[in-house]
Amino acid sequence: FTREAIYPYLEDIPDPGVNWIPCTNPTRFGPAPERLSCMARNNSIYVVANMGDKKPCNSSDPSCPSDGRYQYNTDVVFDPEGKLVARYHKYNLFMSETQFNYPKEPEAVTFETPFGKFGIFTCFDILFREPAVVLVSELQVDTVLFPTAWMNVLPFLTAVEFHSAWAMGMGVNFLAANTHRTSLSMTGSGIYAPDGARTYYYNMETEDGRLLIAELNSHPRLSPASPPAVNWSSYAWSGPRSSPNDRDFEGLIFHDRFTFTELTKPEGAVAVCQKDLCCHLSYKMAGKGEDEVYVLGAFDGLHVVEGQYYLQICTLLKCKSPDLKTCGQPVETAQTKFEMFSLSGTFGTNYVFPEVLYSGVQLAPGEFEVLNDGRLMSKTRPTKPVVTVTLFGRWYERDHLKEDPQPPAFP
């Protein structure tokens, strides 16, 4: 969409403080929310939707766009009476969202229900501190609602993989509703709890969607199953050390230059370092797939493609082929099973998201855990071949630093 092409689809959505039920008073503001409001009211449920908001402005506002209006990528929430109870304007716009404006300040939107405190943000927002981390760390929401049009990027950023990891790393419930459009690699919705995925759907074969239903603890932090606080670098700094070796090599993952070391034995302990980050892996393979190569990789730096953000990543992953030059390229399937794995790293951030992805882009709920010393470990023998085991660290504290980014290897 251009600004002009999307304009006919936008509504002037009022602040929820107006106390409005569009289902019973559809002419008070705009027509679009009426149907959503009636869906909520007629079924006595909460309804969340993503739509577009428009706000007129004039020359007295120096920031007013030349066409005289602000346009926002917007989430709305209706309660079981059909009342508008929340409105959120997306703050971290993706590169192609030129049809929308940034709100002047990031909005941290929450609403209370009889079953917990909810927060809401949209798609690309998840990779930034505001509002995503603020909602959880400062406003203490129990559950996050997440409308998204998420393009899957292996090996770390497929929707089901990263969104389930974010729920675990932040200790909240996470409800992710992804658009389903395989031509754009958009698929993968799920209901995720702090201890793993409760249900999810990933399908790149057809355009069929699916309704997902699961039961969650309404206040996960109060649950006996609530994971302990994690010191993400404790074990890696104090535990047994395996030294980096001279066979380390470099490779690219989503334009980031990783340092890799190959797993040359069926079991053992290996390490690889980059800058301040050292990654340690203990592992035992149950049976290595023919011609399959696995590496341990580390990345510590500024990601600069399709957004800029600091990352620290430790990853065990399967290479695309026996050629080490293919390590880091997208892989969906594997044959190698593991008896066990334990991954840790000397992270400088407390925001680390644990990912385990099996062959066929399948999650591994219940088969791994994070110990309070920062180890991501298999709890049982993994039931399927492993594509990647990853600790994905997001270093928000560095975002304000003016540091020379490493240039992308190719445009």
Side-chain angles (χ1 to χ4, degrees), residues 46-49 75-78 85-89 107-113 115-123 125-126 129-148 166 170-177 192 216 218-221:
Y46 285 84
V47 170
V48 182
D75 301 327
V76 290
V77 183
F78 299 91
V85 292
R87 180 195 67 190
Y88 167 69
H89 295 138
E107 302 171 352
V109 173
T110 67
F111 61 97
E112 297 281 354
T113 75
F115 41 90
K117 184 178 183 180
F118 283 70
I120 189 163
F121 54 82
T122 310
C123 208
D125 281 329
I126 196 174
R129 184 177 181 276
E130 293 184 294
V133 173
V134 169
L135 286 173
V136 178
S137 297
E138 297 178 18
L139 299 180
Q140 298 287 300
V141 299
D142 299 300
T143 301
V144 168
L145 302 165
F146 186 68
T148 185
W166 201 89
M170 299 302 291
V172 292
N173 299 322
F174 194 81
L175 279 57
Y192 310 111
L216 292 166
S218 56
H219 302 280
R221 288 184 186 85

Side-chain angles (χ1 to χ4, degrees), residues 68-232:
R69 62 184 182 264
Y70 291 106
Q71 300 185 172
Y72 299 115
N73 181 338
T74 306
D75 301 327
V76 290
V77 183
F78 299 91
D79 74 5
E81 293 184 339
K83 185 167 78 172
L84 177 67
V85 292
R87 180 195 67 190
Y88 167 69
H89 295 138
K90 185 180 180 185
Y91 186 63
N92 298 285
L93 298 176
F94 195 63
M95 301 171 66
S96 56
E97 288 187 87
T98 52
Q99 70 272 40
F100 291 120
N101 298 105
Y102 296 89
K104 289 187 170 78
E105 297 291 334
E107 302 171 352
V109 173
T110 67
F111 61 97
E112 297 281 354
T113 75
F115 41 90
K117 184 178 183 180
F118 283 70
I120 189 163
F121 54 82
T122 310
C123 208
F124 200 42
D125 281 329
I126 196 174
L127 285 166
F128 299 90
R129 184 177 181 276
E130 293 184 294
V133 173
V134 169
L135 286 173
V136 178
S137 297
E138 297 178 18
L139 299 180
Q140 298 287 300
V141 299
D142 299 300
T143 301
V144 168
L145 302 165
F146 186 68
T148 185
W150 191 275
M151 290 180 290
N152 293 306
V153 181
L154 286 162
F156 309 137
L157 289 172
T158 64
V160 297
E161 171 190 33
F162 186 66
H163 302 158
S164 61
W166 201 89
M168 291 188 77
M170 299 302 291
V172 292
N173 299 322
F174 194 81
L175 279 57
N178 196 6
T179 234
H180 188 92
R181 192 170 177 189
T182 57
S183 61
L184 295 176
S185 295
M186 290 179 180
T187 181
S189 296
I191 299 173
Y192 310 111
D195 59 354
R198 294 294 164 88
T199 183
Y200 68 97
Y201 179 64
Y202 177 93
N203 171 12
M204 276 292 287
E205 305 303 316
T206 73
E207 296 307 310
D208 298 336
R210 182 175 293 177
L211 174 67
L212 297 175
I213 301 173
E215 192 168 294
L216 292 166
N217 292 317
S218 56
H219 302 280
R221 288 184 186 85
L222 304 179
S223 163
S226 176
V230 177
N231 181 334
W232 284 104

Side-chain angles (χ1 to χ4, degrees), residues 176-403:
N178 196 6
T179 234
H180 188 92
R181 192 170 177 189
T182 57
S183 61
L184 295 176
S185 295
M186 290 179 180
T187 181
S189 296
I191 299 173
Y192 310 111
D195 59 354
R198 294 294 164 88
T199 183
Y200 68 97
Y201 179 64
Y202 177 93
N203 171 12
M204 276 292 287
E205 305 303 316
T206 73
E207 296 307 310
D208 298 336
R210 182 175 293 177
L211 174 67
L212 297 175
I213 301 173
E215 192 168 294
L216 292 166
N217 292 317
S218 56
H219 302 280
R221 288 184 186 85
L222 304 179
S223 163
S226 176
V230 177
N231 181 334
W232 284 104
S233 61
S234 174
Y235 182 82
W237 279 118
S238 62
R241 233 7 103 74
S242 41
S243 301
N245 62 62
D246 55 7
R247 296 191 303 276
D248 292 353
F249 63 98
E250 290 190 337
L252 292 175
I253 301 180
F254 192 29
H255 307 277
D256 295 325
R257 191 168 294 281
F258 277 66
T259 303
F260 291 126
T261 189
E262 183 182 355
L263 276 55
T264 56
K265 299 174 182 175
E267 63 180 289
V270 293
V272 66
C273 299
Q274 186 179 105
K275 297 183 183 174
D276 297 330
L277 179 67
C278 283
C279 304
H280 299 273
L281 173 72
S282 299
Y283 69 96
K284 184 177 182 181
M285 295 176 181
K288 198 159 183 286
E290 189 176 349
D291 292 334
E292 291 197 333
V293 171
Y294 283 78
V295 292
L296 175 65
F299 176 75
D300 183 356
L302 180 65
H303 176 82
V304 295
V305 176
E306 295 181 351
Q308 291 199 7
Y309 37 90
Y310 280 94
L311 300 175
Q312 286 189 317
I313 299 174
C314 290
T315 183
L316 157 69
L317 57 81
K318 182 201 159 190
C319 300
K320 190 170 185 179
S321 78
D323 183 352
L324 295 181
K325 292 188 178 66
T326 67
C327 295
Q329 294 179 16
V331 174
E332 291 192 358
T333 59
Q335 296 175 328
T336 301
K337 287 190 175 181
F338 282 70
E339 293 273 0
M340 62 78 64
F341 55 77
S342 173
L343 179 65
S344 61
T346 56
F347 291 95
T349 176
N350 292 322
Y351 298 102
V352 180
F353 309 114
E355 303 179 337
V356 176
L357 197 64
Y358 285 162
S359 183
V361 193
Q362 296 183 69
L363 301 182
E367 296 196 11
F368 67 95
E369 61 185 338
V370 175
L371 304 186
N372 58 11
D373 62 8
R375 278 180 287 174
L376 168 55
M377 294 189 68
S378 51
K379 282 169 68 173
T380 60
R381 176 175 169 174
T383 55
K384 298 182 181 71
V386 169
V387 170
T388 180
V389 175
T390 300
L391 289 170
F392 187 101
R394 174 70 176 90
W395 195 324
Y396 304 101
E397 299 86 348
R398 279 189 180 177
D399 280 357
H400 65 282
L401 299 179
K402 301 298 182 189
E403 195 175 290

